[in-house]
Amino acid sequence: MKIELTTNRYKRRKWLIAAALATGVACAAYGLTGSAIPDIDIDNLTFAKVQQGELNLYAEAYGEFYSAKERLLTAPAQGKVAEVLIRPGAKVTQDTVILRLSNPKLEQELNQAKGLLAQQQAQKAAFEFEQQNQRLNYRGSIADIEAAIEEAELELSVNQDLMSRGVAAKIELQRAKLAVKQQKKRLVFEQEKYQQLQEMQLFQLKQRDIEIAQQQANIEVLTAQYENMQVRAGISGSVQALEVELGQSVQLGQSLAKVGSDQELIARLRIPQRLADQIDLNAPVSIDTQKGLVSGHITRIETLVSNGVVLAEAVLDSALTSNARPALPVTASIFMKTAPDALYIKQFSGMRPHSTQQVFVRDEAGLARQKEVTFGELSQGKLMVKSGLENKDEIITSNLEGFTQYAQISLVH
């Protein structure tokens, strides 16, 4: 009899445990299948309606403004930084002096070159006087020969007259003719020598002019170097960097400072790698500077990927905002393409692009049912719907974390 009682008690305990487990499973199934539908006041909820139509897709990027024009200032000659007048960040014009360099040796070389030029110019003037004297001497010789020709021709005329009267001898007439002929030959020869002298003098003067021109060019180089010891900005904008200190010695060509324009800017933007291939050159860009929007277009897209982003440059097409300056952080929307018949909703908290999530969708029966929805691109606050929703569906955008275990909820007033 004792053994039978123990067996009955054991069977009764197993039945109670099985009943309890069945009850738990039933309760759980009851909640998950929505048999128990909680009520929520609809006035405390917010909704977003699914829309369908043409949707322009934009890539969101971030970056900075950069100077469209930059100028690197280098040392025009060896020297020492004697004065620093402008520091980084200061506004400058084309003629603003940023640094002054000193080089006494350069100044001495310039003065010596100027002295040598003055000496060459004086020597040329003296040489021109010498040439003029040579020409005068030749012209005097030619004048003497011309006078001798006139005298010989006169003698010939007299002899011809006497010969016609039978007074002069024939030999005298021949001598007079020979004298005229010889003097004329001398004249031709002397004129040729004078012509050659003039041509030779022209070449001599040209050589002197070349030497003077070379010295003038040397002076111009030295003068430019000396004047450039006052290092000027060269363009209007602001000083972006200063690479030397007061008293520092610098070598020819050494970097001194960098100046960039602050009214002519470009935007350098970092685009997510997955979106870079969808952006074309000349794609429109809207750049937000926190004080307004500036329009532009993409002019360059790099092929190199760094840390998951691709660098692109945009030229600005509209007027700058008041806070625009080099290195200003900006955000940008870059046009990618137009989706002609897209489903989308206005983005709200918790909805993430390129994700699959559970949302409550309102129906006409006053219920909200959970659905699995896959979202696509986010473009200017509009979240593209890839699957799970239809046009005009309404999604509850309020926080319903406490109701995620229910398949549906009842919307009441």
Side-chain angles (χ1 to χ4, degrees), residues 61 63-68 264-271 279-287 294-302 311-318 320 330-334:
E64 305 87 22
F65 278 150
Y66 280 80
S67 297
E264 297 180 65
L265 302 176
I266 59 174
R268 290 182 181 171
L269 306 173
R270 296 170 183 83
I271 306 171
I279 297 174
D280 298 327
L281 290 178
N282 297 315
V285 182
S286 179
I287 300 170
V294 179
S295 62
H297 63 276
I298 297 294
T299 56
R300 187 172 70 89
I301 302 175
E302 291 188 356
L311 183 65
E313 284 187 359
V315 170
L316 309 183
D317 299 325
S318 64
L320 297 174
V330 296
T331 57
S333 295
I334 308 171

Side-chain angles (χ1 to χ4, degrees), residues 154-400:
L154 178 61
E155 183 70 23
L156 176 60
S157 178
V158 170
N159 282 302
Q160 285 176 339
D161 183 54
L162 291 175
M163 186 69 181
S164 64
R165 296 179 182 182
V167 177
K170 186 176 181 180
I171 191 171
E172 294 297 330
L173 179 62
Q174 292 297 328
R175 286 176 179 170
K177 288 181 178 180
L178 180 60
V180 171
K181 186 177 180 180
Q182 288 176 340
Q183 293 299 332
K184 286 184 176 180
K185 285 183 177 180
R186 283 187 60 202
L187 178 62
V188 172
F189 180 69
E190 203 67 23
Q191 287 175 336
E192 290 178 354
K193 287 175 63 180
Y194 181 63
Q195 181 65 30
Q196 290 179 355
L197 173 68
Q198 288 180 309
E199 292 176 358
M200 182 181 66
Q201 288 182 339
L202 286 175
F203 284 116
Q204 290 173 336
L205 283 177
K206 185 177 292 185
Q207 182 179 359
R208 298 281 178 128
D209 288 337
I210 291 173
E211 293 174 354
I212 290 174
Q214 289 176 339
Q215 188 61 22
Q216 286 175 332
N218 184 36
I219 290 175
E220 288 176 0
V221 172
L222 291 173
T223 300
Q225 285 182 326
Y226 183 72
E227 291 178 351
N228 288 338
M229 298 298 276
Q230 297 191 77
V231 182
R232 302 179 187 275
I235 60 174
S236 296
S238 60
V239 178
Q240 296 182 350
L242 185 65
E243 301 180 14
V244 292
E245 296 293 337
L246 186 66
Q248 179 178 337
S249 296
V250 296
Q251 302 298 320
L252 173 65
Q254 182 175 336
S255 298
L256 303 176
K258 186 171 75 170
V259 180
S261 59
D262 51 13
Q263 294 301 315
E264 297 180 65
L265 302 176
I266 59 174
R268 290 182 181 171
L269 306 173
R270 296 170 183 83
I271 306 171
Q273 179 184 359
R274 62 182 178 81
L275 301 178
D277 292 340
Q278 302 181 48
I279 297 174
D280 298 327
L281 290 178
N282 297 315
V285 182
S286 179
I287 300 170
D288 188 355
T289 67
Q290 302 301 319
K291 283 196 174 181
L293 298 177
V294 179
S295 62
H297 63 276
I298 297 294
T299 56
R300 187 172 70 89
I301 302 175
E302 291 188 356
T303 56
L304 181 66
V305 179
S306 177
N307 296 324
V309 298
V310 175
L311 183 65
E313 284 187 359
V315 170
L316 309 183
D317 299 325
S318 64
L320 297 174
T321 56
S322 60
N323 64 332
R325 56 176 173 76
L328 176 70
V330 296
T331 57
S333 295
I334 308 171
F335 177 78
M336 294 189 297
K337 62 182 179 180
T338 298
D341 192 25
L343 289 174
Y344 60 91
I345 61 169
K346 184 178 179 181
Q347 190 197 26
F348 55 92
S349 178
M351 295 295 99
R352 300 182 304 276
H354 303 286
S355 66
T356 299
Q357 299 178 242
Q358 296 289 333
V359 300
F360 281 99
V361 181
R362 181 180 182 179
D363 63 16
E364 296 178 354
L367 297 176
R369 303 177 186 276
Q370 278 205 61
K371 282 189 177 182
E372 186 177 83
V373 179
T374 301
F375 295 107
E377 296 287 348
L378 174 65
S379 180
Q380 295 186 324
K382 296 177 180 178
L383 189 58
M384 195 171 183
V385 178
K386 298 181 71 173
S387 65
L389 295 175
E390 297 180 359
N391 187 25
K392 298 182 180 181
D393 279 350
E394 286 188 276
I395 297 176
I396 297 178
T397 59
S398 303
N399 187 355
L400 296 178

Side-chain angles (χ1 to χ4, degrees), residues 67-121:
S67 297
K69 293 181 179 179
E70 293 182 332
R71 189 168 188 261
L72 180 65
L73 306 180
T74 59
Q78 184 178 359
K80 182 176 289 187
V81 180
E83 194 172 3
V84 178
L85 302 175
I86 301 294
R87 296 287 180 179
K91 302 291 184 182
V92 293
T93 63
Q94 183 175 353
D95 296 324
T96 301
V97 178
I98 298 174
L99 299 168
R100 285 195 176 95
L101 306 177
S102 65
N103 185 339
K105 184 179 179 181
L106 178 61
E107 185 175 359
Q108 182 181 3
E109 290 177 356
L110 178 59
N111 291 332
Q112 289 176 347
K114 288 181 178 179
L116 180 58
L117 176 62
Q119 181 181 352
Q120 289 176 337
Q121 290 173 334

